[in-house]
Each structure stands twice: as structure tokens, then as C-alpha cells.
């Protein structure tokens, strides 16, 4: 309650914009360009304009107690912009220097990151939550056009470090006809603040239930 109000806007100009919502002018505090998109920025100067997707996915924000202190994490996906996920530390959105701005990047993941070969274009909503183990996590479907094993799967990612906790593979899909998982919906059955189950649909028409305590589908 003692922090400035902020609005975070994902944009196809290549950036995620952090806007100070507590000022009448809506000043931008910083902008973040996922590194996987930097090589595409030159296409923005094409004349006549040809549309390209950049930071085109959805985001979630949540505060966790990590190491005895509060940390607010923003996690997002690139949607049509690329096979990528990212997280920022937005506990304090004020920026004092370029170095300070860069320090807000917690992690970036692409389908070339070890353990994430099956990451596709993630159009679904990534969800930040606490797992039954007590670990703060990003829970996200692997998205579409998975060029790894072609299966639909659910990723559980450490929200603070970006480390892969688990990939829960449904086993559904093939390389020739790739499947993919969309937005997860979480259920806390005993109201302890931890997600016990996730439900998500795939593009082959199946609805999956995932047990987050045993990491099974």
C-alpha cells in the first residue's frame, strides 16, 4: 500500500512498458526488451510498415515472501512474438540508472534453454502461485507449435530463479501433429494459499487435470 501504482503494458513496438500510474502524465519509468527479440527490432523501420509481433503475450503479477522479505514478480510470455517467457522484479519500480533497470530482470527462457525444448508460442495466461511444496512458481502451458516432442505439457518454473521445477507431460501429441497446452486454472482445495491442482485444455480438445503435489497429469 505504500508503493507507487504501476501499469505494465506489453507492446508490439518490441517493449514491455512500465508506466507510473500515480502521476497525472503517466510517465514511463522503464521499458524492457526481451533479449530474444533484439534482433527483430530493425524490422520496425520497414517502410511501408509490415506488422511483426514482439511482446505479444499475457502477464501475471504476484508478491511472494522469499528469503524473509517481500518480492513482487511480474512474469509474462511472448505470445506470437516468440517462444519465450520472462520475469521481472517489480518490487520497486523506480529506476535510478541503466544498471538499476537491468537488475530488475530475473530471468528469460526460450525453447533453446535447457529443459524447455517443448516450449511453443504461449498465448495462454501464465499464472504465478505457490506450489504445495511452498515454492513460488510460474505455472504455464507449453503453448502451440511445439517443435520438440509435439506433446502438450505444463511447466512449473521457480518464479524467482527461472529454474525448471517440473515439466508435466501429458504424452498427447506427435511431432507430425503437435499438440499444445493453453491457460491453466488453479484450484486450492484446502484453502492454505497453495495451488493443489491445475486444469488446462489442449488444442486436440482434451481437458487435463494436473496434480501439483505429485507432478502428474
Amino acid at each position: 500500500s505504500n508503493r507507487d501504482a504501476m501499469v505494465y503494458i506489453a507492446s508490439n513496438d518490441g517493449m514491455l512498458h512500465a508506466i507510473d500510474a500515480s502521476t497525472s502524465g503517466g510517465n514511463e519509468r522503464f521499458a524492457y526488451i526481451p533479449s530474444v527479440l533484439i534482433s527483430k527490432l530493425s524490422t520496425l523501420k520497414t517502410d511501408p510498415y509490415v506488422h511483426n509481433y514482439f511482446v505479444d503475450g499475457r502477464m501475471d503479477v504476484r508478491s511472494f515472501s522469499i528469503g524473509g522479505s517481500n518480492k513482487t514478480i511480474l512474469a509474462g510470455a511472448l505470445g506470437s512474438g516468440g517462444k519465450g517467457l520472462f520475469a521481472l522484479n517489480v518490487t520497486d519500480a523506480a529506476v535510478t540508472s541503466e544498471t538499476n533497470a537491468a537488475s530488475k530482470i530475473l530471468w528469460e527462457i526460450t525453447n533453446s534453454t535447457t529443459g524447455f525444448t517443448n516450449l511453443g508460442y504461449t498465448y495462454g495466461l501464465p499464472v504465478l502461485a505457490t506450489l504445495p511444496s511452498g515454492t513460488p512458481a510460474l505455472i504455464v502451458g507449453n503453448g502451440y507449435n511445439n517443435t520438440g516432442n509435439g506433446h502438450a505439457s505444463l511447466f512449473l518454473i521457480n518464479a524467482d530463479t527461472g529454474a525448471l521445477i517440473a515439466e508435466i507431460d501429458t504424452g498427447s501429441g506427435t511431432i507430425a501433429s503437435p499438440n499444445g497446452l493453453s491457460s491453466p486454472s488453479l484450484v486450492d482445495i484446502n484453502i492454505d494459499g497453495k495451488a493443489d491442482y491445475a486444469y488446462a485444455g489442449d488444442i486436440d480438445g482434451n481437458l487435463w487435470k494436473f496434480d501439483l503435489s505429485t507432478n502428474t497429469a
Side-chain angles (χ1 to χ4, degrees), residues 64 127-131 134-139 156-160 165:
F64 297 99
V127 182
L128 289 164
T130 302
L131 295 177
T135 303
L138 178 67
I139 303 171
L156 308 182
I157 302 166
N158 186 298
D160 189 38
I165 298 170

Side-chain angles (χ1 to χ4, degrees), residues 26-169:
N27 297 321
E28 181 178 79
R29 288 191 156 179
F30 67 90
Y32 159 66
I33 305 171
S35 60
V36 69
L37 300 179
I38 290 175
S39 63
K40 292 175 58 177
L41 291 178
S42 61
T43 63
L44 291 169
K45 66 180 182 180
T46 301
D47 188 10
Y49 173 76
V50 177
H51 183 72
N52 282 282
Y53 295 99
F54 285 88
V55 191
D56 192 56
R58 302 168 71 183
M59 299 177 288
D60 194 17
V61 181
R62 181 167 173 173
S63 293
F64 297 99
S65 177
I66 299 175
S69 60
N70 180 74
K71 180 179 284 190
T72 301
I73 296 174
L74 179 153
L78 297 183
S80 298
K83 297 178 179 180
L85 306 166
F86 60 86
L88 306 178
N89 179 358
V90 295
T91 308
D92 181 0
V95 171
T96 57
S97 66
E98 286 288 344
T99 300
N100 175 254
S103 70
K104 298 185 185 305
I105 302 171
L106 288 175
W107 49 262
E108 295 180 332
I109 289 168
T110 70
N111 65 330
S112 60
T113 303
T114 301
F116 291 92
T117 305
N118 299 319
L119 180 65
Y121 292 97
T122 304
Y123 301 106
L125 176 67
V127 182
L128 289 164
T130 302
L131 295 177
S133 64
T135 303
L138 178 67
I139 303 171
V140 59
N142 70 323
Y144 307 144
N145 195 24
N146 161 16
T147 54
N149 62 13
H151 296 177
S153 61
L154 185 73
F155 285 115
L156 308 182
I157 302 166
N158 186 298
D160 189 38
T161 67
L164 178 63
I165 298 170
E167 179 185 3
I168 310 177
D169 193 336

Side-chain angles (χ1 to χ4, degrees), residues 183-200:
S183 303
S185 294
L186 308 184
V187 179
D188 175 6
I189 58 172
N190 55 358
I191 320 298
D192 64 352
K194 300 174 183 178
D196 298 296
Y197 298 100
Y199 292 82

